[in-house]
Amino acid sequence: MTAQQETRPHAAAKPVRWAADAVATMREGARVRLDYSAQSLWRVDRMIEEIRREGPPYAAVESVLRGFGAYAGEVIVRQTGAEWWATGGEHWVRTPGGRLWDPVEEARRCFDGHGSLRLLCRDAVAMG
């Protein structure tokens, strides 16, 4: 067994926790329920857009965006049977077809006005 194979189960620990924190924060703070469905990513994209319009510095919302990205990754994992992978502090989702997806970076792209977690999930489910 290679070192990479040994660390794969561990790779999911942080993003799963970040996603759960995002779900709890949305439920308690914004009264928005996130249920790990692809449809719920519409709400997440809208929340990121609202945050972006308020104009906070990136550093102020970095952990929120990380949580939203991890949440989108968990949606992909649950819909496709994908796995979380981690290298050098970065986390990706590897779908069964072998493709790597970076939902945390996509959340950052959403904040910059150039991304969509909903579309990332749609593509990951369609392309595997």
Side-chain angles (χ1 to χ4, degrees):
M1 185 180 272
T2 67
Q4 191 172 32
Q5 287 171 320
E6 290 171 6
T7 61
R8 282 195 341 204
H10 178 71
K14 285 183 179 178
V16 167
R17 186 177 71 242
W18 296 334
D21 289 348
V23 169
T25 299
M26 291 298 292
R27 183 181 59 241
E28 295 162 13
R31 301 277 187 243
V32 173
R33 290 186 90 41
L34 298 177
D35 60 4
Y36 293 96
S37 68
Q39 296 83 359
S40 69
L41 293 174
W42 283 92
R43 286 185 222 111
V44 175
D45 278 348
R46 280 198 307 268
M47 290 300 296
I48 294 173
E49 173 63 22
E50 288 176 23
I51 292 168
R52 185 171 74 81
R53 271 187 296 202
E54 292 170 7
Y58 175 76
V61 296
E62 183 175 9
S63 65
V64 171
L65 296 173
R66 183 184 65 198
F68 284 152
Y71 173 78
E74 268 302 288
V75 171
I76 294 167
V77 165
R78 292 175 185 207
Q79 296 233 334
T80 67
E83 295 179 287
W84 280 101
W85 286 62
T87 305
E90 298 293 316
H91 293 81
W92 299 279
V93 171
R94 183 176 184 267
T95 48
R99 295 180 76 120
L100 290 174
W101 305 86
D102 191 344
V104 175
E105 178 60 28
E106 189 68 14
R108 294 180 192 125
R109 287 176 40 77
C110 290
F111 181 70
D112 290 337
H114 306 295
S116 168
L117 293 172
R118 177 185 59 83
L119 295 178
L120 179 80
C121 180
R122 183 196 68 188
D123 291 348
V125 170
M127 295 180 200

